[in-house]
Amino acid sequence: MRSLATYTFPIFFDEWGLYVKNICDAWDNKGDTIIGNDVWIGYETVIMSGVKIGDGAIIGTCAVVTKDVPTYTIVGGVPARAIRKRFDDATIEKLEALQWWNWDYKNIKRNIYAIQSGNIEALDMAV
Protein backbone atom coordinates (compact mmCIF):
# COMPACT_ATOMS: atom_id res chain seq x y z
CA MET A 1 0.00 0.00 0.00
CA ARG A 2 1.27 3.41 -0.85
CA SER A 3 -1.11 5.28 1.52
CA LEU A 4 0.13 6.31 4.96
CA ALA A 5 -3.30 5.41 6.37
CA THR A 6 -5.50 2.36 6.07
CA TYR A 7 -8.61 4.53 6.32
CA THR A 8 -10.60 4.61 3.08
CA PHE A 9 -11.02 8.40 2.75
CA PRO A 10 -12.33 8.38 -0.86
CA ILE A 11 -15.26 6.12 0.05
CA PHE A 12 -16.50 8.97 2.25
CA PHE A 13 -15.69 11.53 -0.45
CA ASP A 14 -18.49 13.93 0.46
CA GLU A 15 -17.45 14.18 4.10
CA TRP A 16 -13.84 14.93 3.13
CA GLY A 17 -14.53 17.16 0.13
CA LEU A 18 -13.01 14.65 -2.31
CA TYR A 19 -14.08 13.89 -5.88
CA VAL A 20 -16.26 10.80 -6.32
CA LYS A 21 -14.33 9.88 -9.48
CA ASN A 22 -11.29 9.20 -7.26
CA ILE A 23 -13.11 6.64 -5.09
CA CYS A 24 -10.76 3.85 -6.23
CA ASP A 25 -7.82 5.74 -4.73
CA ALA A 26 -8.81 4.27 -1.37
CA TRP A 27 -6.91 1.08 -2.17
CA ASP A 28 -4.36 -0.33 -4.55
CA ASN A 29 -6.52 -1.50 -7.42
CA LYS A 30 -5.01 -4.33 -9.46
CA GLY A 31 -7.77 -4.31 -12.06
CA ASP A 32 -11.20 -5.77 -12.57
CA THR A 33 -12.19 -9.04 -11.00
CA ILE A 34 -13.71 -11.23 -13.72
CA ILE A 35 -16.02 -14.12 -12.85
CA GLY A 36 -16.69 -16.61 -15.64
CA ASN A 37 -19.93 -18.41 -16.42
CA ASP A 38 -21.34 -21.26 -14.35
CA VAL A 39 -19.02 -20.53 -11.39
CA TRP A 40 -19.88 -21.60 -7.85
CA ILE A 41 -18.42 -19.37 -5.11
CA GLY A 42 -18.57 -20.62 -1.54
CA TYR A 43 -19.78 -18.67 1.47
CA GLU A 44 -17.45 -15.96 2.84
CA THR A 45 -14.99 -16.33 -0.02
CA VAL A 46 -12.69 -13.38 -0.69
CA ILE A 47 -11.57 -12.71 -4.28
CA MET A 48 -8.87 -10.11 -4.69
CA SER A 49 -8.92 -7.43 -7.38
CA GLY A 50 -7.46 -8.30 -10.76
CA VAL A 51 -8.25 -12.03 -10.43
CA LYS A 52 -9.96 -13.94 -13.25
CA ILE A 53 -12.13 -16.94 -12.38
CA GLY A 54 -12.55 -19.28 -15.36
CA ASP A 55 -15.84 -20.79 -16.53
CA GLY A 56 -17.15 -23.70 -14.48
CA ALA A 57 -14.76 -23.16 -11.56
CA ILE A 58 -15.68 -23.98 -7.98
CA ILE A 59 -14.31 -21.81 -5.15
CA GLY A 60 -14.43 -23.46 -1.74
CA THR A 61 -16.06 -21.82 1.27
CA CYS A 62 -13.92 -19.19 3.06
CA ALA A 63 -11.21 -19.37 0.38
CA VAL A 64 -9.01 -16.35 -0.27
CA VAL A 65 -8.40 -16.19 -4.03
CA THR A 66 -5.28 -14.21 -4.88
CA LYS A 67 -4.46 -15.71 -8.31
CA ASP A 68 -6.36 -16.59 -11.48
CA VAL A 69 -8.41 -19.80 -11.39
CA PRO A 70 -8.39 -21.91 -14.58
CA THR A 71 -11.63 -23.10 -16.15
CA TYR A 72 -13.33 -26.07 -14.49
CA THR A 73 -10.90 -26.11 -11.56
CA ILE A 74 -11.81 -26.57 -7.90
CA VAL A 75 -9.83 -24.35 -5.53
CA GLY A 76 -9.89 -23.81 -1.78
CA GLY A 77 -7.86 -22.65 1.19
CA VAL A 78 -6.01 -19.57 2.36
CA PRO A 79 -4.55 -18.67 -0.02
CA ALA A 80 -6.66 -20.67 -2.47
CA ARG A 81 -4.86 -23.47 -4.28
CA ALA A 82 -6.00 -25.86 -7.00
CA ILE A 83 -7.47 -29.04 -5.54
CA ARG A 84 -8.32 -30.76 -8.81
CA LYS A 85 -9.98 -30.30 -12.19
CA ARG A 86 -13.69 -31.04 -12.37
CA PHE A 87 -13.36 -33.01 -15.62
CA ASP A 88 -10.70 -34.50 -17.87
CA ASP A 89 -9.09 -32.21 -20.46
CA ALA A 90 -11.18 -33.55 -23.38
CA THR A 91 -14.45 -32.84 -21.56
CA ILE A 92 -13.25 -29.36 -20.55
CA GLU A 93 -12.44 -28.59 -24.20
CA LYS A 94 -15.93 -29.71 -25.27
CA LEU A 95 -17.59 -27.61 -22.55
CA GLU A 96 -15.54 -24.56 -23.48
CA ALA A 97 -16.65 -24.96 -27.11
CA LEU A 98 -20.31 -25.61 -26.20
CA GLN A 99 -20.79 -22.62 -23.87
CA TRP A 100 -24.21 -24.01 -22.94
CA TRP A 101 -24.91 -20.92 -20.78
CA ASN A 102 -25.26 -18.94 -24.02
CA TRP A 103 -27.94 -21.28 -25.39
CA ASP A 104 -31.53 -20.13 -25.61
CA TYR A 105 -34.07 -21.25 -23.02
CA LYS A 106 -35.59 -24.00 -25.19
CA ASN A 107 -32.21 -25.60 -25.91
CA ILE A 108 -31.22 -25.57 -22.23
CA LYS A 109 -34.62 -27.01 -21.24
CA ARG A 110 -34.27 -29.77 -23.86
CA ASN A 111 -30.81 -30.66 -22.49
CA ILE A 112 -31.27 -30.03 -18.78
CA TYR A 113 -31.12 -33.69 -17.76
CA ALA A 114 -27.92 -34.27 -19.73
CA ILE A 115 -26.40 -31.11 -18.21
CA GLN A 116 -27.39 -32.09 -14.67
CA SER A 117 -26.25 -35.69 -15.03
CA GLY A 118 -22.89 -34.73 -16.52
CA ASN A 119 -23.54 -36.73 -19.67
CA ILE A 120 -21.92 -34.57 -22.34
CA GLU A 121 -22.50 -37.26 -25.00
CA ALA A 122 -26.29 -37.06 -24.46
CA LEU A 123 -26.50 -33.34 -25.28
CA ASP A 124 -28.79 -32.56 -28.20
CA MET A 125 -26.80 -30.02 -30.22
CA ALA A 126 -29.64 -29.18 -32.60
CA VAL A 127 -30.51 -25.55 -31.92
Side-chain angles (χ1 to χ4, degrees):
M1 276 186 86
R2 65 178 181 266
S3 176
L4 299 177
T6 59
Y7 188 77
T8 53
F9 291 105
I11 290 176
F12 304 101
F13 59 90
D14 199 34
E15 180 180 339
W16 295 100
L18 302 171
Y19 295 107
V20 69
K21 68 177 186 146
N22 296 336
I23 196 167
C24 290
D25 292 346
W27 57 88
D28 295 332
N29 188 345
K30 295 186 177 155
D32 292 339
T33 300
I34 299 169
I35 310 294
N37 299 286
D38 194 31
V39 172
W40 187 88
I41 300 173
Y43 181 71
E44 292 189 343
T45 292
V46 175
I47 302 172
M48 304 306 287
S49 66
V51 170
K52 180 180 178 191
I53 310 295
D55 294 330
I58 294 176
I59 313 298
T61 298
C62 296
V64 177
V65 184
T66 60
K67 296 181 180 170
D68 292 353
V69 177
T71 59
Y72 295 97
T73 300
I74 301 169
V75 300
V78 180
R81 303 232 186 276
I83 296 169
R84 68 179 175 86
K85 291 181 179 182
R86 289 181 57 199
F87 306 106
D88 61 59
D89 290 338
T91 302
I92 290 172
E93 281 184 40
K94 288 178 186 176
L95 288 167
E96 288 175 327
L98 285 174
Q99 297 184 1
W100 67 264
W101 47 85
N102 289 326
W103 292 356
D104 64 29
Y105 176 84
K106 288 192 316 188
N107 202 20
I108 291 174
K109 188 168 174 79
R110 187 173 59 245
N111 286 283
I112 200 155
Y113 295 113
I115 293 169
Q116 287 181 308
S117 69
N119 188 352
I120 198 165
E121 304 305 325
L123 292 174
D124 176 7
M125 303 308 184
V127 179

